[in-house]
Amino acid sequence: MPATEETVAALRKAVRAKTTAKKRYDDTLDALAEAMADAIREGMRQGEVVELTGYTREHVRRLVREVEDKRAQAATGS
């Protein structure tokens, strides 16, 4: 028995909501990584960033490294 139009519409709506939430999450994580990189660049200790964010040192290092790599690529036009 095929799904009703209402069921298909509900599924499509749920997929759109998930996609929107994922994009919002990714954008928020990017902004947080940028803020962490700026804070460390301005002299905040990594340990303070770890304490504020709840992330591990390695996770902070990885996110900040990604930001620095993006910034370097943007500066060189690559």
Side-chain angles (χ1 to χ4, degrees), residues 36-57:
M36 288 189 297
D38 291 344
I40 289 171
R41 180 180 288 172
E42 291 180 15
M44 183 179 249
R45 291 186 342 249
Q46 185 186 37
E48 292 175 292
V49 174
V50 166
E51 186 175 321
L52 281 170
T53 62
Y55 289 147
T56 65
R57 287 182 177 275

Side-chain angles (χ1 to χ4, degrees), residues 7-60:
T7 301
V8 172
L11 178 58
R12 286 187 176 132
K13 183 178 178 182
V15 169
R16 283 192 306 272
K18 178 192 170 274
T19 301
T20 300
K22 174 79 167 93
K23 171 83 169 99
R24 193 169 31 245
Y25 171 80
D26 291 344
D27 291 346
T28 302
L29 184 58
D30 289 346
L32 177 58
E34 292 270 345
M36 288 189 297
D38 291 344
I40 289 171
R41 180 180 288 172
E42 291 180 15
M44 183 179 249
R45 291 186 342 249
Q46 185 186 37
E48 292 175 292
V49 174
V50 166
E51 186 175 321
L52 281 170
T53 62
Y55 289 147
T56 65
R57 287 182 177 275
E58 183 53 37
H59 195 89
V60 169

